[in-house]
Amino acid sequence: NAGVTQTPKFQVLKTGQSMTLQCAQDMNHNSMYWYRQDPGMGLRLIYYSASEGTTDKGEVPNGYNVSRLNKREFSLRLESAAPSQTSVYFCASSGWDGLGNYGYTFGSGTRLTVV
Amino acid sequence: GIQVEQSPPDLILQEGANSTLRCNFSDSVNNLQWFHQNPWGQLINLFYIPSGTKQNGRLSATTVATERYSLLYISSSQTTDSGVYFCAVERVGETSGSRLTFGEGTQLTVNP
């Protein structure tokens, strides 16, 4: 099935540990994103990539790095995890559908807890 | 940055009732999306509607760009409509697919 796949689904880290969240899309979209969602809030943009080879900071980039490995893959790295980074992380991709609609497809989320 | 306000924050309905969710935004937009997040956390894109009206089954959306608001209508609600509805916008001048700003959502509960 076409869509966005992100791994892992759950992760517990100790403060100071590092990890990489993986994301891959098979929608042939140019744009990809990483968002975080905290309880009772909307999504906040961490980083986005408008095309292969480019990345830009979003609203809350501090403590994160990203890599747009190719058109399909966009990874998010936490170099030194902090409790404030406990959140649910969503990867997404977007593009035109050929019928004049600009649509977004989201992964199923990664629930990260930093202790 | 652009401000997005959604109302009401919470809505409880009986199955079969109709509802209207509102999204106000503070600047001109070239991209407005409505999303549904189900109780299991999955986000589904409902509408791309920077202006005008669209319908998809029991759901329809209208955006009045000149007055900076959008409405999402749910008719004959079902328990499966429960979840959080998000409005998200991109300001004019931003490249499509860059800075989508989300509102805080409307939590909808549909009781049987």
Side-chain angles (χ1 to χ4, degrees), chain A residues 23-115:
Chain A
C23 177
Q25 53 101 1
D26 58 7
M27 308 290 288
N28 199 34
H29 287 159
N30 286 321
S31 296
M32 296 187 73
Y33 315 81
W34 279 103
Y35 287 91
R36 61 177 287 173
Q37 184 178 29
D38 298 306
M41 297 181 67
L43 279 70
R44 292 185 292 169
L45 183 64
I46 304 171
Y47 271 94
Y48 66 96
S49 171
S51 62
E52 184 179 351
T54 68
T55 61
D56 285 285
K57 295 179 180 179
E59 182 184 355
V60 288
N62 291 344
Y64 305 95
N65 285 301
V66 291
S67 295
R68 183 74 181 267
L69 305 171
N70 47 54
K71 188 171 185 177
R72 290 187 65 247
E73 299 173 287
F74 188 38
S75 63
L76 177 73
R77 183 161 178 83
L78 287 70
E79 291 290 352
S80 179
S84 61
Q85 294 178 305
T86 293
S87 190
V88 180
Y89 291 84
F90 288 96
C91 177
S93 69
S94 69
W96 295 98
D97 66 358
L99 299 174
N101 294 308
Y102 194 82
Y104 291 75
T105 302
F106 279 81
S108 57
T110 296
R111 189 173 296 275
L112 175 66
T113 302
V114 183
V115 298

